[in-house]
Amino acid sequence: MSANEVETFVGIDVSKNTLDIRIEPASESLQVAYDDPGVKEVCHRLVKAAPALIVVEATGGLETRLASTLLAKGLPVAVVNPRQTRDFAKATGELAKTDRIDAAVLCRFAQAIRPAVRPFKDAETRELDELVSRRHQLVENRVQETLRLGTAASRMLQKSLKSHIIWLDKQITTLDDDLNTRLRNSDAWKAKDDLLRGIPGVGPVTSVTMTAKCPELGQLNRQRIAKLVGVAPLANDSGKHRGKRFVWGGRADVRAALYMATVSAIRCNPTIKAFADRLKGAGKPAKVVIVACMRKLLTIMNAMVKNNTPWQPENA
């Protein structure tokens, strides 16, 4: 970029029915309907503007259609965590919150922070992600209904709960079969699935969760993948004070699947078991041991997928 060229940044606030756009340094604001004509208009304007970066908040999936369309046009889009942008707004003294203000905050966030543009999930991966999320919802519902069954007094309520639990079991089984079929029918997913399932302690649920919800596995170094998932200890130091390291943030659904795999691996995976025993022998608290083992297991997964090498306990 020459010295006379000025970079353009865009912030887009996504809601169910509308898109609020802020373009800097043109100081241009506009609102369009969030439908096919509205998305088409936004793409047309932004292709002409040729921005250096477009920032959109993750809004529970509402942003998917817009972000995927913009990326398909070759535009640089970063989908960011709403907590980051809200903290940024507070840090800059912007306490009010409207769609128009949020778009302006996202635009300033793009200019100041320049979050990395990550490849967006393709349609098949997004569909796999949705099915994994649906499975998690059904499993949670089954747990709740099972707890209700334990305290139900009337026969009618017990019958209703049992019937619903049976239905949930069938739905979960159907989803498991569908997810397994999708993994085995895709060459890329099948290769990753074979690698992950080869690790003692890692089962089909963990494998499909990592595939759908952590596509960055094998593409980042061990520090970045641990931070992305939320198992990296973060410093809390100031001056001479050295605070305790804590893990927080990251992808909760990936972390939950990794936790269950780690609990199993501590029992049946010789590498993870020896690592856990060593930490316990050093007097580490139980929570520190389990998180360290989660990070160890994640690092092993990441290295195996990155190098396309099967499970080798002597090298883990």
Side-chain angles (χ1 to χ4, degrees):
M1 186 178 67
S2 68
N4 294 327
E5 290 180 343
V6 178
E7 290 182 304
T8 298
F9 295 89
V10 179
I12 304 178
D13 182 74
V14 180
S15 60
K16 186 176 182 180
N17 299 315
T18 59
L19 299 172
D20 285 85
I21 300 99
R22 178 71 176 186
I23 304 174
E24 293 289 356
S27 299
E28 181 182 357
S29 296
L30 65 146
Q31 184 183 79
V32 300
Y34 193 7
D35 52 20
D36 290 340
V39 172
K40 185 176 181 180
E41 180 183 348
V42 171
C43 289
H44 178 70
R45 283 176 174 264
L46 296 186
V47 167
K48 289 178 64 177
L53 182 63
I54 303 168
V55 168
V56 181
E57 279 184 341
T59 53
L62 281 177
E63 79 289 348
T64 301
R65 178 171 51 154
L66 174 66
S68 58
T69 304
L70 292 173
L71 284 166
K73 297 291 185 180
L75 295 168
V77 182
V79 180
V80 299
N81 190 316
R83 186 188 68 244
Q84 291 178 287
T85 55
R86 195 66 235 153
D87 290 344
F88 176 81
K90 292 177 181 178
T92 58
E94 184 59 80
L95 303 182
K97 190 179 187 330
T98 67
D99 292 344
R100 185 185 178 96
I101 290 174
D102 287 349
V105 168
L106 290 171
C107 190
R108 293 200 300 271
F109 183 86
Q111 289 177 291
I113 307 301
R114 294 180 182 246
V117 177
R118 291 199 182 106
F120 207 64
K121 295 178 182 178
D122 56 45
E124 289 185 352
T125 305
R126 291 199 301 271
E127 191 171 350
L128 188 72
D129 190 343
E130 290 176 352
L131 292 176
V132 171
S133 296
R134 181 55 181 161
R135 184 190 186 280
H136 179 67
Q137 293 165 1
L138 292 173
V139 170
E140 283 190 334
N141 286 339
R142 184 175 62 183
V143 171
Q144 293 168 359
E145 293 291 75
T146 303
L147 291 174
R148 293 187 186 104
L149 180 61
T151 59
S154 71
R155 290 185 177 181
M156 183 177 293
L157 180 56
Q158 290 176 1
K159 183 179 179 180
S160 173
L161 290 169
K162 288 178 180 178
S163 176
H164 192 206
I165 291 171
I166 291 172
W167 181 85
L168 289 169
D169 286 338
K170 290 180 179 178
Q171 291 295 309
I172 292 169
T173 300
T174 300
L175 263 181
D176 284 340
D177 292 341
D178 186 21
L179 289 169
N180 184 66
T181 300
R182 288 170 184 266
L183 286 182
R184 307 312 292 176
N185 287 343
S186 167
D187 291 339
W189 288 348
K190 182 179 182 298
K192 182 182 288 188
D193 186 48
D194 288 339
L195 289 173
L196 294 179
R197 289 208 206 183
I199 305 172
V202 176
V205 174
T206 302
S207 178
V208 73
T209 301
M210 299 301 296
T211 301
K213 294 188 173 293
C214 193
E216 297 88 351
L217 189 70
Q219 299 177 14
L220 305 176
N221 61 35
R222 60 189 181 91
Q223 291 89 357
R224 291 181 64 191
I225 195 69
K227 190 173 181 180
L228 180 70
V229 173
V231 292
L234 303 179
N236 182 27
D237 301 337
S238 179
K240 295 183 179 180
H241 172 73
R242 294 293 179 268
K244 289 184 177 180
R245 269 53 178 163
F246 292 97
V247 296
W248 66 282
R251 299 179 182 174
D253 39 14
V254 176
R255 197 163 52 251
L258 183 62
Y259 171 82
M260 296 306 298
T262 302
V263 170
S264 176
I266 288 175
R267 296 195 301 267
C268 66
N269 187 313
T271 300
I272 302 299
K273 185 178 185 302
F275 182 62
D277 290 341
R278 188 164 73 250
L279 293 176
K280 291 175 184 176
K284 299 295 183 182
K287 287 185 178 180
V288 172
V289 172
I290 190 68
V291 172
C293 289
M294 288 170 66
R295 188 166 58 252
K296 175 80 169 177
L297 182 58
L298 179 63
T299 300
I300 291 172
M301 291 181 182
N302 192 58
M304 288 174 57
V305 173
K306 183 176 183 179
N307 300 319
N308 195 30
T309 54
W311 164 252
Q312 297 175 336
E314 65 274 10
N315 295 332

